[in-house]
Amino acid sequence: VGTHVHINPARKFCFKPPVWVKAANEIATIQGSAKDLQYYGLADHSGPVYQAIVEENWSRFQVLQNGGNNSMITLAETVLLIADMLTTTIASVKRYKPQFRAVVARIINMKPLIDAATDYVVLMDENQKRISEKALVAINKQLAFLHEEMAARKKDKSILQRRSKHESQFNKKLSGFCTIMQTNTDALHALLTSLNASFSEDLAQRFGFNITKYDPSKYDIDFDAINFTEICAKALATRRTKDATAEIALMLESAEEMIYEGELEPALQFLDKMPETPNVQRYMTDEQKATFAFLRAKCHAKLHHHTEAMQALEQMATCGAPTGDMIDDEDFDELANNQGEKFHKIAFTLRNVRKKTPEYEIKLKKNEIQVLVGIFDQYDVEESGFLTSEQFSRMIDTVGVENLLFQLGWKSPKGVVTQIYNIIQRIDSEFNGAINTENYLNLMSTLLPSETQNIGSSAARREQNARKQETQLWDMFKGSG
């Protein structure tokens, strides 16, 4: 026919190269190789899968194109494309994952509605097409917003940026998103339901392609039923039973709230007693140690205890966590003027502490991380962001070690059963019986055969460059002294 045709992830025709490129890139990221694109009927244009889809879609597209509403069809295709992107992007989200999961579950339920809207365009008058197009524009904008929110939360923030006030503000934004999505999906549902009155069984013959009658009883899209406060409370309760550091984070947030409310002496007393708690001594992370020292320094600085504040900052500088933004806190202005060179030396140290690159980022490729995180999410049935040693063992028993390694394209190392056993032992002994996504990826990366490790990966190169720059900075600083 003289037109270059590709099939998008929704098994629909796509005539726009930019859309095709985005879809292909996204699928290549997920699947890991061009060969895997055959699963979607995208790679082999001479194969039976592709030909079957061509036969299924060609007459349909011709009718829709002649109907003069290409913009609506494009909008619908974009909705489906972004919906597919969201279902894969969520795998790499590190913050607010339970909330995102609840929303994405509804978006998946929405896809049949969008498909039905594209089929029913042949039944619509001009006014109904405008109503449909308006709803699809609004849905597109909201999905684009959600994708941006997910992308912004692929990295962890400091404990002070994860306080409950920030979470409630985020939940409010998502509630607004859900209100708009519910309004517009309801509008499409009502429109399709009304169009059933003009539906007849001979449509397939009249238009040359199969149109399935829309079934209103199957409409179960309930964005407005999501209770984000309840989701957060449940996730927190689960975390507190699995994550030994969760209680420490809550203690630090409590201390910060006291400082924010001006209760400086009680906050200081609370912080001074924290190290006496056994879990604090055993499980406090480098970031939590830095936050603990920062809050003590902030308390002392606000109380004009300059010596104690400087001691707390010196402690903060030894924690090995990136805290450069914390030293710029306005409560340290008086301290900076009073302590001069000593303060600025500590500030220099803090601004040049680089976060250690996780082991898995150095070893694993992007598509390998996607595969592993997808399996993690499948067995994190409580959506807590943690796997217990029992859940990890169930994952191994169900998926199978050899099958998992095959999915990743790794050779099975010698003694892999022993390695798996050691990982389970480490989950119990080092991580209090439960691991988060980063712990899991670090542990799974130990199964990667040494001859195939990504020593030349971009993450490894970044780590080398960071160390080199740090050495140069220190040389310059020492030389200026």
Side-chain angles (χ1 to χ4, degrees), residues 66 68 73 98 127 155 166 206 241 293 305 307 337 414 420 456:
N66 293 335
I73 304 305
N127 184 54
K155 293 183 179 180
H166 292 178
R206 285 165 52 194
T241 62
H305 302 162
T307 302
N337 293 330
K414 293 180 180 179
I420 292 293

Side-chain angles (χ1 to χ4, degrees), residues 114-126:
I114 305 301
D115 269 330
T118 59
D119 281 347
Y120 266 45
V121 69
V122 294
L123 304 177
M124 296 179 190
D125 59 30
E126 290 306 313

Side-chain angles (χ1 to χ4, degrees), residues 317-421:
T318 65
C319 293
T323 48
D325 55 335
M326 293 183 179
I327 196 65
D328 296 322
D329 192 291
E330 61 182 14
D331 288 324
F332 296 143
D333 289 347
E334 180 183 322
L335 199 62
N337 293 330
N338 193 281
Q339 296 294 313
E341 185 180 351
K342 188 177 180 182
F343 177 89
H344 292 298
K345 282 186 177 181
I346 293 174
F348 176 86
T349 302
L350 290 171
R351 289 193 182 101
N352 288 283
V353 172
R354 296 181 181 276
K355 185 176 182 179
K356 186 178 179 182
T357 303
E359 184 181 353
Y360 76 86
E361 285 191 11
I362 297 173
K363 289 184 176 181
L364 303 179
K365 297 175 183 175
K366 186 178 178 181
N367 65 293
E368 292 168 341
I369 293 171
Q370 290 277 10
V371 170
L372 287 169
V373 171
I375 296 171
F376 179 98
D377 286 344
Q378 185 180 346
Y379 288 87
D380 176 20
V381 291
E382 295 156 329
E383 300 185 354
S384 63
F386 286 82
L387 283 185
T388 62
S389 53
E390 291 82 4
Q391 289 170 325
F392 180 86
S393 298
R394 193 178 308 121
M395 178 197 83
I396 294 297
D397 290 341
T398 306
V399 178
V401 179
E402 296 296 336
N403 180 44
L404 176 59
L405 296 175
F406 178 78
Q407 288 185 51
L408 293 165
W410 298 354
K411 293 179 181 178
S412 180
K414 293 180 180 179
V416 67
V417 175
T418 303
Q419 285 182 266
I420 292 293
Y421 176 77

Side-chain angles (χ1 to χ4, degrees), residues 431-444:
F431 302 101
N432 201 33
I435 49 174
N436 61 21
T437 311
E438 184 172 324
N439 303 147
Y440 160 82
L441 290 171
N442 283 335
L443 290 171
M444 294 303 287

